[in-house]
Amino acid sequence: MAEFESACFLNDLPGEPPVGYSRLYYGAEFCFWRLPSSAKIVAARKWARNAGWNFTLVTPILGEDERLRLDSLLQTVLPELDAGDEILISDWGALELIRVFRDDLTIVLGRALSGQKRGPRILDMTLTQEQREYFQRGSWHSREAVGLLDEQRITRVEQDNLLQGLAPLSEALKGSLHLPYAMVTSSRNCPFRVTAECAPCSASCGEVFTLQSSETTVLLYQDGNTQFLHNEHLPDNLAELRIDRIVEHQLAR
Amino acid sequence: MRIISPVDNLKETHLLLQAGADELYGGYIPIEWEHYSLAASLNQRTFSSAQIASEEELSEIISLVHAHQGRFALTLNAPFYTDEQLPLLIEYVDRMVTLGVDSLILADPGLLRLLKKRHAPLEFHASTLAHLTNSGAVRFMAEQGMQRVVLPRHLSVADMAAIIQQVPDVLCDAFLLVGKCPNSEGLCTFHHSSPEKIWPCEIPYNIAPLSSGASPRLQQAMQRQASWSETNRRHGCGLCAIPLLKEAGVHGLKLVGRGAPAAQKVRNIALTKEFLALAESVTDFTEYKRLAVAAHQERFGAVCHQNICYYPEFFDGEVV
């Protein structure tokens, strides 16, 4: 019997919900221009409800112009959500936008804010025990950082599946683990982007290229403005790590 | 606008101040950090040339800066520290305060909470590692105690102006010259540990489509990505944008280059000072820009390129 909730991050919703999942992650983490329209988000919420799934709306990293656009979108979308729905934030700037409309919604802290060190060079380094333990942690492992989350009424943090392993979260938190693609780096300087900085992106996102070098066997995948690595190895001590949800991703195409 | 320069040793301090730096920033790794060493650096630099060698030297640097009516900021900008590390850092910062450090550059909100309670008079800067790219995020961190923000790379001048307008009580600094990265530093989780200082974004990768039948758009994106391995990131510029950054209300121009030779730092300060003066005296922006483009070529021995232009909305050359 699974000891964790299985969630699925989908960009395109199939007619029939895939088997084995009970939560939909829908939206965008790293690029605002990948965030679907308010109409599509409301439809996705309905799709999840019809499937008997829970729903997590995923909001992305924001520039100033994008913060204003998200504000406008949330005014349409937030009234459609139930108190049981979640909103994942990838940017602290989204917090006030949500709380001003819906103080009752559960806010989840996205992996863009996890501070984890994901780069594959760590595997080639000779580390002491102290160093290894450091690199298995992230921004939300210290008591003071957990205190900040507690003040903000945030109890769930999203984590990437580090090649070097993970340290347990605080007892005050629960974690979601994203598989099999871990974010390594991201940028507003997107190689796919051709329009001026503040204008909406017209690039037809979805194609992926790979980056391979002789210094590591770990392949990088460039999907939009973000590079990922692949790590499908599921830790065998999820309960100890305080991870009770697995979020499965596909590359865009 | 204030000129903010890195400093790595006492010998270069006087030169940097004489050249026109108003503020200096730098890092120092104390002996109690030896368990973690430079591999898990407390200030994002994994090579010793980017660290001030001793507490005594740091003390002398701070005294010299203060004698020139300048300010010194200490970098403590790892994205996070652990419960085991934080007590070490508290003792460390206590000592640094007695040496006269004026401000701390931080990224970890947990460390900020601890230090804000303990050393309220210090000025707390959000490092670019904190990745505050909009006014809501800046406001959130200001509520936690940050008074000043290093705005991340890849924000346009218009973005910066909009943020500054929304949060006028927070001082904002913008990057200029050297060290332009393809990635957003606060989102980049690569380990920067190569002895040759070749970072993962500079590696000449073999780049290929994941699936067959790459579209023209994908081919162009791969070409753009590949261009970074042919780019000298140390030629980062942004001189053209100085008048607009000033108009936007940017408080300081933050020069990059911890660990670089003193002569390079001095040249960068002098160039910035020269173009701050030109931004006042040359009212025709076209002429100002012509001077800036020429100065870039003279300083770096290479023409402008979109990759190393900090504010590419002002780049007029051929776009790859």
Side-chain angles (χ1 to χ4, degrees):
Chain A
M1 189 175 71
E3 296 170 350
F4 50 83
E5 179 184 21
S6 290
C8 191
F9 199 123
L10 293 174
N11 295 107
D12 299 313
L13 300 176
E16 287 296 316
V19 176
Y21 302 99
S22 58
R23 177 175 290 276
L24 173 66
Y25 275 52
Y26 189 77
E29 296 175 278
F30 304 108
C31 175
F32 182 84
W33 310 116
R34 281 191 163 186
L35 188 64
S37 66
S38 54
K40 284 187 173 176
I41 292 169
V42 171
R45 172 66 187 90
K46 188 177 176 186
W47 183 95
R49 193 174 294 166
N50 289 340
W53 289 16
N54 296 310
F55 183 70
T56 301
L57 171 61
V58 181
T59 64
I61 293 161
L62 305 168
E64 185 62 12
D65 180 61
E66 296 149 11
R67 189 186 75 88
L68 299 174
R69 290 172 190 265
L70 180 67
D71 190 22
S72 171
L73 182 142
L74 290 175
Q75 291 188 40
T76 306
V77 169
L78 291 185
E80 303 295 324
L81 299 187
D82 293 337
D85 293 326
E86 290 179 350
I87 300 195
L88 181 152
I89 61 169
S90 305
D91 191 303
W92 284 114
L95 187 64
E96 62 180 6
L97 301 180
I98 298 162
R99 287 269 162 83
V100 76
F101 286 118
R102 289 290 300 269
D103 199 37
D104 60 324
L105 290 173
T106 301
I107 292 183
V108 173
L109 213 59
R111 59 181 170 155
L113 292 167
S114 80
Q116 294 168 287
K117 292 278 192 182
R118 287 94 153 181
R121 277 184 176 176
I122 287 173
L123 293 181
D124 300 322
M125 294 167 63
T126 305
L127 299 174
T128 64
Q129 183 65 22
E130 287 94 342
Q131 290 166 344
R132 182 170 296 104
E133 287 176 4
Y134 175 78
F135 286 119
Q136 290 175 340
R137 287 171 165 76
S139 292
W140 313 118
H141 282 79
S142 78
R143 279 188 292 276
E144 279 298 324
V146 172
L148 171 64
L149 298 185
D150 182 54
E151 284 174 12
Q152 303 302 325
R153 290 176 284 133
I154 294 171
T155 58
R156 176 173 295 281
V157 293
E158 309 287 298
Q159 301 278 285
D160 262 325
N161 192 22
L162 302 178
L163 294 168
Q164 66 270 29
L166 293 160
L169 289 165
S170 151
E171 288 190 2
L173 298 176
K174 287 185 174 173
S176 309
L177 190 64
H178 288 241
L179 288 174
Y181 297 101
M183 181 275 267
V184 179
T185 190
S186 186
S187 179
R188 291 175 67 79
N189 173 49
C190 177
F192 289 88
R193 187 159 167 77
V194 289
T195 48
E197 184 62 36
C198 292
C201 184
S202 62
S204 51
C205 243
E207 289 180 290
V208 175
F209 62 82
T210 58
L211 301 99
Q212 190 166 31
S213 86
S214 56
E215 81 162 39
T216 172
T217 55
V218 178
L219 191 65
L220 298 173
Y221 299 83
Q222 181 87 38
D223 184 358
N225 66 348
T226 303
Q227 288 176 15
F228 299 88
L229 58 78
H230 187 267
N231 180 16
E232 62 186 3
H233 172 71
L234 189 64
D236 55 12
N237 56 344
L238 290 176
E240 185 188 326
L241 298 174
R242 296 196 56 76
I243 288 165
D244 65 355
R245 182 185 296 173
I246 302 295
V247 184
E248 286 189 33
H249 290 255
Q250 295 177 324
L251 289 177
R253 210 168 292 160
Chain B
M1 283 186 291
R2 295 176 73 78
I3 300 176
I4 309 161
S5 170
V7 63
D8 300 310
N9 56 66
L10 178 62
K11 197 174 165 189
E12 69 184 14
T13 305
H14 187 71
L15 298 173
L16 304 178
L17 294 166
Q18 284 292 103
D22 299 299
E23 302 182 24
L24 298 182
Y25 68 98
Y28 161 64
I29 297 197
I31 188 76
E32 56 265 37
W33 201 257
E34 64 185 1
H35 288 310
Y36 305 103
S37 75
L38 286 166
S41 173
L42 60 68
N43 58 34
Q44 288 295 108
R45 291 296 181 277
T46 57
F47 44 98
S48 58
S49 62
Q51 307 291 348
I52 295 164
S54 70
E55 219 153 298
E56 293 71 29
E57 187 168 3
L58 174 58
S59 178
E60 290 188 59
I61 289 170
I62 294 170
S63 296
L64 195 50
V65 172
H66 288 169
H68 280 76
Q69 283 74 52
R71 292 175 66 81
F72 180 85
L74 185 73
T75 54
L76 258 177
N77 58 337
F80 65 89
Y81 301 100
T82 66
D83 283 332
E84 293 76 26
Q85 293 170 337
L86 286 169
L88 302 179
L89 293 176
I90 295 297
E91 286 180 24
Y92 165 69
V93 172
D94 286 353
R95 292 205 311 279
M96 296 300 104
V97 169
T98 64
L99 297 185
V101 161
D102 299 294
S103 44
L104 297 175
I105 303 173
L106 307 176
D108 179 3
L111 180 62
L112 171 65
R113 280 163 64 88
L114 282 170
L115 294 177
K116 191 71 187 173
K117 289 177 220 161
R118 197 172 174 95
H119 293 295
L122 285 175
E123 185 180 59
F124 292 91
H125 301 202
S127 162
T128 183
L129 269 295
H131 197 65
L132 307 180
T133 52
N134 60 77
S135 61
V138 172
R139 198 158 30 244
F140 178 80
M141 279 303 162
E143 286 164 6
Q144 312 311 313
M146 292 289 190
Q147 296 129 306
R148 190 163 166 179
V149 171
V150 184
L151 293 171
R153 292 173 175 85
H154 307 300
L155 289 189
S156 66
V157 176
D159 275 331
M160 292 181 178
I163 292 170
I164 293 166
Q165 193 175 22
Q166 289 293 317
V167 281
D169 294 338
V170 179
L171 301 177
C172 293
D173 300 326
F175 281 113
L176 194 79
L177 295 176
V178 194
K180 174 82 187 288
C181 301
N183 300 313
S184 300
E185 205 171 349
L187 300 171
C188 183
T189 76
F190 279 120
H191 201 63
H192 290 60
S193 59
S194 156
E196 300 83 20
K197 298 182 195 169
I198 297 172
W199 306 144
C201 55
E202 299 171 295
I203 296 172
Y205 289 101
N206 180 14
I207 296 176
L210 180 63
S211 310
S212 58
S215 71
R217 177 67 51 87
L218 179 61
Q219 289 174 27
Q220 193 178 32
M222 291 192 296
Q223 191 183 345
R224 279 201 197 101
Q225 187 66 37
S227 71
W228 280 99
S229 67
E230 297 152 11
T231 298
N232 189 337
R233 295 190 316 101
R234 282 93 188 157
H235 294 177
C237 190
L239 290 173
C240 291
I242 287 179
L244 290 307
L245 291 167
K246 186 168 183 288
E247 196 176 309
V250 166
H251 181 71
L253 295 174
K254 181 147 187 165
L255 308 182
V256 186
R258 285 175 60 200
Q264 181 179 302
K265 296 186 187 106
V266 167
R267 287 179 75 186
N268 292 340
I269 294 167
L271 193 56
T272 305
K273 193 174 178 185
E274 178 189 345
F275 275 82
L276 275 169
L278 285 171
E280 292 288 334
S281 62
V282 180
T283 51
D284 176 4
F285 184 64
T286 307
E287 173 60 9
Y288 172 88
K289 198 169 165 183
R290 188 190 65 75
L291 294 169
V293 169
H296 172 93
Q297 181 145 13
E298 187 183 340
R299 166 70 182 84
F300 298 110
V303 296
C304 295
H305 186 279
Q306 61 179 5
N307 284 3
I308 41 88
C309 185
Y310 264 109
Y311 305 98
E313 64 266 37
F314 302 111
F315 176 68
D316 288 334
E318 187 185 350
V319 176
V320 177

